């Protein structure tokens, strides 16, 4: 078990319906953060208004990696979730703009933009100070279309497996950006996807 860091970052992952992409990213992010000793609390939600069951292939992928999955259905994005998040990562640039329109105070990025275009957190800056600085990074909600993560719903299993590899790589980059040698994480309980 890792010791808990004094500075835990709360990240909310958002996609359209919270049945496929955001639960997958949330699970992988929580796992890699824990494995790397980075203190994160991770949750996910969807832009849609109704609860829906999770995509069974995503549930299978998470369970095959021994990632706890405690919710039975999606959850809609609301003010309480946004207010509880230090950082919101969406799967597409359009979703980032949609979240920012609804919640203009939130620190929101498309995950591809955050993972590939933003500078890593300097070890001399606290996570809060770093997020404040990147929140004002030019085009914080913008993302080139090639950075968007496409939803594989309705595609063959091979599309899900390709997605898993792509997301896994991106999540590892994000954890490396957030982490530093002093950061540690608590043993993960069930991830609130």
């Amino acid at each position: 078990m890792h010791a808990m860091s004094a500075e835990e970052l709360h990240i909310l992952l958002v996609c359209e319906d919270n049945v496929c992409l955001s639960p997958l990213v949330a699970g992988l992010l929580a796992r890699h953060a824990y494995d790397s000793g980075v203190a994160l609390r991770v949750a996910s939600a969807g832009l849609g208004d109704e609860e829906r069951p999770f995509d069974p292939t995503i549930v299978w992928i998470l369970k095959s990696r021994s990632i706890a999955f405690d919710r039975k259905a999606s959850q809609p994005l609301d003010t309480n979730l946004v207010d509880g998040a230090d950082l919101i990562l969406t799967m597409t640039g359009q979703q980032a703009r949609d979240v920012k329109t609804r919640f203009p105070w939130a620190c929101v990025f498309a995950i591809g933009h955050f993972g590939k275009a933003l500078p890593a957190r300097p070890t001399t800056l606290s996570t809060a100070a770093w997020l404040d600085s990147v929140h004002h990074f030019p085009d914080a909600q913008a993302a080139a279309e090639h950075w968007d993560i496409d939803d594989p719903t309705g595609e063959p299993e091979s599309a899900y497996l390709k997605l898993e590899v792509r997301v896994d790589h991106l999540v590892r980059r994000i954890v490396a950006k957030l982490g530093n040698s002093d950061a540690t994480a608590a043993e993960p309980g069930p991830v609130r996807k």
Side-chain angles (χ1 to χ4, degrees), residues 21 25 90-92 111-112 145 147-151 163 166-167 170:
L21 291 174
V25 176
T90 65
M91 303 304 111
T92 69
I111 192 168
E145 293 301 318
W147 284 344
D148 286 355
I149 298 175
D150 295 324
D151 188 326
L163 171 70
R166 180 177 178 210
V167 167
L170 182 58

Side-chain angles (χ1 to χ4, degrees), residues 115-131:
K116 295 178 182 176
L118 295 180
R121 178 175 70 87
T123 57
T124 56
L125 277 183
S126 71
T127 303
W130 178 72
L131 279 175

Side-chain angles (χ1 to χ4, degrees), residues 93-139:
Q94 184 59 53
Q95 291 166 355
R97 290 184 291 277
D98 292 347
V99 171
K100 196 65 175 174
T101 297
R102 286 175 57 188
F103 307 97
W105 65 89
C107 181
V108 183
F109 291 91
I111 192 168
H113 185 235
F114 186 86
K116 295 178 182 176
L118 295 180
R121 178 175 70 87
T123 57
T124 56
L125 277 183
S126 71
T127 303
W130 178 72
L131 279 175
D132 187 54
S133 70
V134 298
H135 181 75
H136 303 292
F137 194 79
D139 299 320

Side-chain angles (χ1 to χ4, degrees), residues 8 38 54-55 80 103 110 130 137 146 153 180:
E8 181 179 58
V38 176
F54 292 112
D55 185 303
N80 290 333
F103 307 97
W130 178 72
F137 194 79
H146 68 278
T153 301
N180 69 40

Side-chain angles (χ1 to χ4, degrees), residues 20-64:
C20 185
L21 291 174
S22 57
L24 174 65
V25 176
L28 292 174
L29 182 60
R31 171 61 62 195
H32 289 309
Y34 171 73
D35 290 347
S36 300
V38 176
L40 297 181
R41 182 177 303 165
V42 181
S44 69
L47 294 170
D49 291 338
E50 57 188 64
E51 286 187 7
R52 296 180 44 204
F54 292 112
D55 185 303
T57 306
I58 294 301
V59 173
W60 172 79
I61 288 171
L62 291 170
K63 287 184 177 181
S64 73

